[in-house]
Amino acid sequence: MITFVVRNRNNNFKNIKMALEITDANFDELVLKSDKPVLVDFWAAWCGPCRMVGPIVDEIHTEYEGKAIVGKVDVDANQEFAAKYGVRNIPTVLIFKNGEVVDKQVGVAPKNVYTGKIDAAI
């Protein structure tokens, strides 16, 4: 796991861990069989809006450690589950609980939108 340090608006530093890398090979184990809610960010490196959502997802991963699983699926390298869940636009964030999609956000949204969706699933 990679950890990096960021400075917030108040010039305070905090450690942020990068969200889990979810692939077609580990999706079943990390997402569908999880006993915790799971936030999955479907993204691609070439997608500008995805680069806006990425740091938000990384922060959420750090803040919800132990309470929820937070990860990212690169749709260019892992197309199976993006297709299975009808991901046609990115970024798309799906919230899973007990292996089922319980919420969805397409496009960029503020952090509180994503955390609200996770909180509702906890």
Side-chain angles (χ1 to χ4, degrees), residues 5-122:
V5 178
V6 296
R7 186 184 318 201
N8 66 16
R9 287 180 234 191
N10 300 324
N11 276 336
N12 297 324
F13 292 94
K14 62 181 176 177
N15 290 327
I16 301 292
K17 296 177 186 174
M18 292 184 68
L20 297 173
E21 180 181 351
I22 299 174
T23 66
D24 288 343
N26 67 14
F27 194 95
D28 190 54
E29 189 65 34
L30 292 177
V31 178
L32 301 180
K33 293 181 180 175
S34 176
D35 60 348
K36 297 176 182 150
V38 184
L39 179 148
V40 181
D41 173 21
F42 290 87
W43 71 285
W46 49 264
C47 167
C50 297
R51 289 193 299 270
M52 294 170 62
V53 172
I56 295 169
V57 171
D58 290 335
E59 283 184 34
I60 293 169
H61 170 71
T62 299
E63 292 171 14
Y64 281 76
E65 191 169 7
K67 296 186 277 185
I69 305 297
V70 178
K72 301 177 183 182
V73 174
D74 179 343
V75 297
D76 287 335
N78 302 280
Q79 298 176 4
E80 178 183 346
F81 288 96
K84 178 177 179 176
Y85 292 103
V87 174
R88 290 178 175 67
N89 299 304
I90 53 174
T92 291
V93 172
L94 300 180
I95 306 295
F96 289 81
K97 185 172 183 176
N98 300 321
E100 300 291 327
V101 176
V102 295
D103 212 335
K104 177 180 188 175
Q105 173 65 44
V106 179
V108 178
K111 180 179 173 182
N112 67 329
V113 170
Y114 303 112
T115 56
K117 292 175 183 299
I118 294 173
D119 290 342
I122 291 179

